[in-house]
Amino acid sequence: MANQRDIDHAQSLDEADPLRHLREEFIIPSKADLKRKTLDSSAEKDQSSIPSTYLCGNSLGLQPCLTSSYLSHYLSTWATKGVYGHFKPVSDTPLPPWLHTDDAVTGGMARLVGAEADEVVVMQTLTVNLHLLLATFYRPTKDRYKIIIESKAFPSDHFAIESQIKHHRLDPSNAMICIDPPPGTYTLPTAHIVNTIRQHAASTALVLLPGIQFYTGQFLDMETITSEVHALGIPIGWDLAHAVGNVPLELHKWKVDFACWCMYKYMNCGPGCSGGLFVHQRHSAPPAAPSSEPPARANDSAMTNLHATAATSQDDSISSSSTPATPFTTLPSTPGEHAQGYLNRLSGWWGSAKSSRFQMANAFTPIPGAAGWQVSNPSVLDMTSVQAALAVFAKTDMAELRAKSVRLTGWLEELLRESAWFVPEREREEIGRMGLKEDAGKEKDRMGFWIITPREQEQRGAQLSVMLAEGLLDPVMEVLEEEGCVVDERRPNVIRVAPAPLYNTFEDVRRFVVVFEDALKKAVEMRQGTGAKADLEKSVMVHGGEDSKGWSEIK
């Protein structure tokens, strides 16, 4: 409807939002804050308090108001208690003694990912946790040695998989299988994923996929894919960097083997904060008593049947494999392991029982559950930020957040599709063919944008990935930043727009679309030579760090 872009209409949607009060739990940078090159605003003439339009929670979430208060408590405890802070309860702080700082976050974290409390731990960072989990779950044998990932996996996942394969003295060129989207598409249909895995099932040791694909914003059908992979006797792990705090998850119910995630995106715990790790209960029972039986040989061809009860697919579009999968019943193992129970891991003292941790005895007694994968004592600074963020999440639940997210992102998509700059699917192929040729006709008719994120709400989270016509990314980002609209980009031509339901509003969405259309107009006019180049600073998100160790290439 035409009035959907009116401020009054956006305000009416915000007034009807039952979660609108949660925005007050966050510090929203002002437009002046973003432009200023100092932290101190006292010397600046422009001290405007107009808030920015921050739609970048998929990259870095905003700071909760509680964070500085909680960190102050942590610093005061350290200052006044010293080493006693590890053990001494303090009555006038919401924080526990540091010995229990990891336990203090597991309950809230488990609720957000649909896990039992003992299946989750906050520790290390995402890629470190991925390596620790791969050390447990990647057990290559002579016959089963491949790892399957998606071809556009986040580079750190790709590097981790490649290095794990090399660590086992295997060749990634034949041991790493990458799933490409079907030709001419950006996303990965469930049937396509499953059928690709089936083609390699007999030689596959592990599957690793993203819950939400970072580039397209596609939310994979984790439940169906997990079940299908288990039916093939293969363990599966999930990178949930863009899923946790964004979409409802049921990791325990879906029988996910393992998962890991970062905490600085939708979780709002701060840049580089410790990550999260999930291991299903069936893999983390206390170790079996030492056995007199010799361990299985490293080159045994059998692989554990960790998933004997996995359901088969009900999706008729998923083809049946030409050869039925053979159940696997043995596990290449180390002494003390047993199927459906304890699995060996790279161990450290913080994963050992608290009752004996400070006795300094060289006897590892793993904590039951995911906590047994801990290696070093956690950063209390990080854990304090996590506690502050979880305190905000405790004011609502994922069902309520998801309901608002669907409305926010749905309205964003609706407004974008109504734009005169939106390129319908039937015209996209022509854009690819014609490029920026001067004789190609009216530039505006084909120089615009389209959305590569799935339209179906169950196949996406908060993020929409917007593909721009060639040559528009830099000038569009410059205008957006000048106007205080914060999104991020992924080269060559995508901007990612992610309204976070904890703190974004319908007015944020409306304002972004208005500024975005103006940015497109100016960018196209510059390409045509009919508009003067604005005197704008280079985009921070596009050019920031480009002289620093290849950061721009990573981005």
Side-chain angles (χ1 to χ4, degrees), residues 53 55 407-409 411-413 415 499 504-514:
T53 302
L55 299 171
R407 294 193 300 271
L408 269 177
T409 302
W411 200 52
L412 171 62
E413 181 187 30
L415 293 182
N504 281 129
T505 65
F506 290 91
E507 170 59 18
D508 286 336
V509 167
R510 184 206 67 81
R511 183 172 184 274
F512 164 76
V513 174
V514 170

Side-chain angles (χ1 to χ4, degrees), residues 4-77:
Q4 284 184 323
R5 298 189 191 208
D6 294 342
I7 294 176
D8 290 343
H9 186 63
Q11 288 178 341
S12 70
L13 292 172
D14 285 325
E15 289 170 1
D17 173 21
L19 300 182
R20 63 187 180 278
H21 61 286
L22 293 177
R23 181 177 171 89
E24 299 172 1
E25 300 288 339
F26 292 86
I27 300 172
I28 313 294
S30 70
K31 293 170 67 175
D33 287 335
L34 295 176
K35 288 186 178 182
R36 194 171 51 247
K37 295 183 179 180
T38 64
L39 297 178
D40 182 10
S41 63
S42 59
E44 296 287 334
K45 293 181 180 180
D46 181 10
Q47 297 187 37
S48 170
S49 60
I50 298 174
S52 64
T53 302
Y54 193 93
L55 299 171
C56 206
N58 61 308
S59 187
L60 179 67
L62 290 179
Q63 183 183 130
C65 298
L66 282 174
T67 301
S68 59
S69 171
Y70 274 43
L71 290 177
S72 178
H73 280 280
Y74 156 69
L75 292 172
S76 295
T77 300

